[in-house]
Amino acid sequence: RTGRRQNQKQCWPRTSDKNFKTVSVNAWVEESEGEPGLVLGLRGEPYWLLPGKSGGIRNFALRAECTHLGCIAPWNEVQQKFVCPCHGSQYDPDGTVLRGPAPHSLALAHVEVVDKGNVRLSAWTEEDFRDGAAPWWS
Ligand code: FES
């Protein structure tokens, strides 16, 4: 299981934006085994797709770059947190920052399932549902 996940990280599937359409939601749900999975999303940036609480996929994704200095913050299955390897910032499963030095929660994107079951990310410009503030990333 770990080996397969490492392979996925070396060759991330891509969600659809104006350039590409390649993540099938059904295939992603099956392969994710209930854990977040990295994809290339908006403008080719890395995003975490998140498993739904009762199956399927959540309707938001998290930009995987730590809000401190931009390292990719991996999902830690044991701790059930995103933990940045660079300086130790931590984020909960919704991307809310739990421990600095990261100054912000992980950036959000909307997730939609469009025709033929493909995942599409789109820009999140509304308030951040986690803290009610304007999005720091837009
Ligand atoms: Fe993540 Fe510094 S880049 S804690």
Side-chain angles (χ1 to χ4, degrees):
R1 176 172 167 170
T2 303
R4 195 174 86 191
R5 195 155 284 135
Q6 282 170 349
N7 287 341
Q8 286 176 346
K9 284 177 187 163
Q10 287 162 11
C11 184
W12 299 332
R14 297 182 173 202
T15 61
S16 64
D17 65 11
K18 60 179 187 252
N19 298 319
F20 30 68
K21 271 188 184 175
T22 52
V23 174
S24 146
V25 68
N26 289 338
W28 184 85
V29 167
E30 192 172 318
E31 289 175 12
S32 68
E33 299 175 335
E35 302 289 341
L38 267 177
V39 297
L40 295 181
L42 292 171
R43 298 178 297 277
E45 293 169 336
Y47 277 82
W48 290 106
L49 296 182
L50 306 170
K53 293 196 168 156
S54 49
I57 192 168
R58 296 198 78 178
N59 63 359
F60 66 92
L62 301 171
R63 197 158 79 213
E65 293 159 335
C66 178
T67 64
H68 180 221
L69 294 176
C71 294
I72 300 296
W75 174 246
N76 184 305
E77 283 185 41
V78 175
Q79 296 184 49
Q80 294 288 294
K81 295 175 192 168
F82 297 95
V83 180
C84 183
C86 292
H87 313 98
S89 293
Q90 298 185 1
Y91 305 87
D92 80 2
D94 289 345
T96 301
V97 65
L98 298 172
R99 192 173 107 180
H104 302 293
S105 297
L106 296 176
L108 299 168
H110 292 286
V111 172
E112 295 173 90
V113 178
V114 294
D115 53 349
K116 299 186 185 164
N118 287 322
V119 176
R120 181 168 72 193
L121 298 192
S122 58
W124 188 297
T125 57
E126 306 79 18
E127 90 178 12
D128 183 335
F129 68 90
R130 298 164 301 189
D131 61 8
W136 62 264
W137 57 89
S138 74

